[in-house]
Amino acid sequence: MAVKDPTAVERANLLNMAKLSIKGLIESALSFGRTLDSDYPPLQQFFVVMEHCLKHGLKVRKSFLSYNKTIWGPLELIEKLYPEAEEIAASVRDLPGLKTPLGRARAWLRLALMQKKMADYLRCLIIRRDLLSEFYDYHALMMEEEGVVIVGLLVGLNVIDANLCVKGEDLDSQVGVIDFSMYLKNEDDTESKERSDHIAAILDQKNYVEELNRQLNSTVSSLHGRVNSLEKSNTKLIEELAIAKNNIIKLQEENHHLRSENALILMKTQRHLEVNKVDAETELQTYKHSRQSLDEMYNEAHRQLREESQLRQDIENELMVQVGMKHEIELAMKLLEKDIHEKQDTLISLRQQLEEVKAINVEMYQKLQCSDDAMKEKNEIIGRLEDKTNQITATMKQLEQSDKELLTQTRTIAMSLVKCVSNEGQPQYKLVKDISF
């Protein structure tokens, strides 16, 4: 077996208890009289059951000293949604002896039952679930369909009259405990069942009649409103009709006055036309005489105009030529200025190059001077070397000459020695013969 949701079970139990409480309260009220007081047990149990229904799923709200759960918050919200509930909320706040929000909520439930508008008040609250979510969890009874069913059941309480004394009653310290023994019945209690069925049928008829009466009252009130609006519009239309009639009379008088003035103006106009006709004929003759002279003046003016137009055309052509020449001159000036700027830039670069060349020439001249000095020194050295060479050559020549002479002398001496030795013997001749120079 599937495990049921505990919150759903709680909502179903509270709904069944609300059904039993409302049904028992209505049955007992019809049996013992419709006017009930505060000490009536079924009525006390009804308030306890309603208190439990309103507390189901209520969010815990943090106060200054502790955490609490109170139903006065959502009930206090009703006066903003239902303007007629402002009076009951103000009465609850003005009651002396109420110190807790729970006591105010209990007093509010009792006053709403006496006004027979508890169902209407709670219906306005239960349809605004966006506002109720601030006070209740999403699984609360007031947020689910069970709350709608309970509000529908509360409509049946309008058949009873409650005469409750809220002032002076200790509502803050009451302990709300549901007495289930009041709703437990024996199975053989058929008479009570038939009576309850009869009472239920009577209540259904009573609810139907009250609902029909309410609809008729709303229809009558709407018809009264329409009648009042029609009377106001009819009065306004009558006033507008009277104003329109007065305007028509004024317009007729103005029309008669305008017609008389129109006839007078027509007579004056005819006379004026006759006088103007004679004057116009005279002016026509004068015009015919002056027309010829005007034509001649026009022809002369037209001829002058053509000549001036031609002259103007020539001037404009010449002006166009001058403008073209001016544009060309301006263009040439711009090109010339550009060329001048380019030449100036070239001249500046050439001057820079000239300065660089001059610097190079100075440097080369200095180097050339140094080279000339070195060349002169080298030429002097070469001259000295040439002199020394010449001296050495002359010396060498002298030495060669002396060598030749010495050789000649030596040869002569050798030949003489050979001759001398040859006379003495053969071996000495060979020895002298081997001598060479």
Side-chain angles (χ1 to χ4, degrees), residues 162-297:
N163 187 10
L164 308 177
C165 182
V166 181
K167 187 177 180 181
E169 188 175 358
D170 186 12
L171 299 177
D172 294 327
S173 59
Q174 288 184 0
V175 180
V177 179
I178 300 176
D179 186 8
F180 292 97
S181 62
M182 296 180 60
Y183 309 108
L184 298 176
K185 297 182 180 180
N186 296 325
E187 295 180 356
D188 56 353
D189 195 3
T190 57
E191 183 180 356
S192 176
K193 185 176 181 182
E194 292 177 357
R195 187 178 62 182
S196 63
D197 295 338
H198 181 67
I199 292 172
I202 294 173
L203 288 176
D204 292 338
Q205 293 179 0
K206 179 70 167 55
N207 292 333
Y208 174 75
V209 171
E210 288 183 352
E211 186 66 25
L212 183 62
N213 189 19
R214 184 180 297 177
Q215 293 179 0
L216 290 175
N217 288 330
S218 63
T219 305
V220 170
S221 61
S222 64
L223 289 175
H224 279 301
R226 291 182 62 185
V227 168
N228 292 329
S229 63
L230 290 174
E231 287 179 354
K232 292 179 180 178
S233 61
N234 189 18
T235 304
K236 186 176 181 180
L237 290 174
I238 291 172
E239 293 176 355
E240 292 178 354
L241 181 62
I243 294 170
K245 287 181 179 179
N246 294 329
N247 292 331
I248 290 171
I249 294 171
K250 291 180 181 180
L251 290 173
Q252 288 177 353
E253 293 177 355
E254 291 180 358
N255 190 13
H256 180 70
H257 182 66
L258 290 173
R259 283 183 179 180
S260 60
E261 289 182 354
N262 190 13
L264 182 60
I265 291 170
L266 182 61
M267 292 175 62
K268 290 181 179 179
T269 304
Q270 289 178 354
R271 293 176 184 175
H272 187 66
L273 286 174
E274 291 177 356
V275 174
N276 288 336
K277 186 176 181 181
V278 176
D279 295 337
E281 289 178 354
T282 305
E283 290 179 356
L284 181 61
Q285 294 295 327
T286 306
Y287 174 75
K288 288 181 179 179
H289 290 294
S290 60
R291 178 64 181 274
Q292 186 175 2
S293 60
L294 289 173
D295 289 337
E296 293 176 356
M297 292 174 65

Side-chain angles (χ1 to χ4, degrees), residues 342-354:
E342 291 178 354
K343 288 182 178 180
Q344 286 179 353
D345 295 337
T346 306
L347 183 60
I348 291 169
S349 63
L350 289 174
R351 285 178 179 175
Q352 292 177 355
Q353 293 177 5
L354 181 60

Side-chain angles (χ1 to χ4, degrees), residues 34 49 59 75 91 185 187 263 297 353 370 381 412 430:
R34 296 186 180 181
V49 172
K59 291 182 179 179
L75 294 179
S91 300
K185 297 182 180 180
E187 295 180 356
M297 292 174 65
Q353 293 177 5
C370 294
I381 294 169
T412 303
K430 285 185 181 181

